[in-house]
Amino acid sequence: MAALVDTNILVYRFDPRFPEKQAVAAELLRAGIADDSIRVPHQALIEFVAATTRPLTRGGRSILAADDARREMEEMLVQFEVLYPDEELVRIAIRGAATYGLSWFDAHLWAYAERFGLDTLWSEDFENDRLYGRVRTRDPFVAEA
């Protein structure tokens, strides 16, 4: 079954400051391309460009130059099935925020997985191995016991 990836997985793939997370993210995405098991929400693409082009320090470098970030986003549009919001997804997000106490952005992200019948949401921003509705959240950076 396919799984949804959060923005942080996409960003870590390009972030050399965290080599262990970069390796895990790269392998998760590589495997997802190979077996067509990864879905990317529209929201994550927008956040990816914003996160990777923002200066890391005041007046400092960003993870990617703007042209590179846009090019990588275009590659993702080809490599992954991208999911887009609709009215039902927004309504699910509203209910998810109320039911689970999620922030609006996390509720919206979770709603993509719930709406499109995906059983796993890969993210470091949710409680690892927790079930929200039909969706289990998994942190790929947590070592399995």
Side-chain angles (χ1 to χ4, degrees), residues 54-127:
R54 179 180 324 125
L56 298 173
T57 60
R58 183 180 213 101
R61 297 184 58 229
S62 57
I63 294 170
L64 293 173
D67 286 345
D68 293 334
R70 288 188 295 268
R71 186 178 64 252
E72 291 299 338
M73 183 174 70
E74 289 217 34
E75 287 290 323
M76 287 182 228
L77 288 167
V78 173
Q79 294 170 324
F80 302 104
E81 183 176 332
V82 177
L83 306 177
Y84 295 90
D86 59 13
E87 182 178 333
E88 182 180 352
L89 187 138
V90 174
R91 291 183 184 282
I92 292 169
I94 292 167
R95 289 193 304 274
T99 302
Y100 303 115
L102 297 171
S103 73
W104 172 245
F105 292 103
D106 287 348
H108 196 90
L109 180 69
W110 163 80
Y112 276 97
E114 185 76 12
R115 163 77 175 84
F116 290 100
L118 306 175
D119 64 350
T120 302
L121 167 55
W122 289 103
S123 176
E124 70 175 353
D125 293 341
F126 291 79
E127 183 180 335

Side-chain angles (χ1 to χ4, degrees), residues 3-5 10 38-42 44-45 76 80-83:
L4 193 74
V5 293
L10 303 176
I38 295 292
R39 303 294 179 263
V40 177
H42 167 258
L45 294 177
M76 287 182 228
F80 302 104
E81 183 176 332
V82 177
L83 306 177

Side-chain angles (χ1 to χ4, degrees), residues 6-21:
D6 193 356
T7 308
N8 52 48
I9 309 298
L10 303 176
V11 172
Y12 280 128
R13 165 64 185 86
F14 296 93
D15 194 342
R17 297 173 302 161
F18 305 98
E20 298 86 11
K21 288 184 177 185

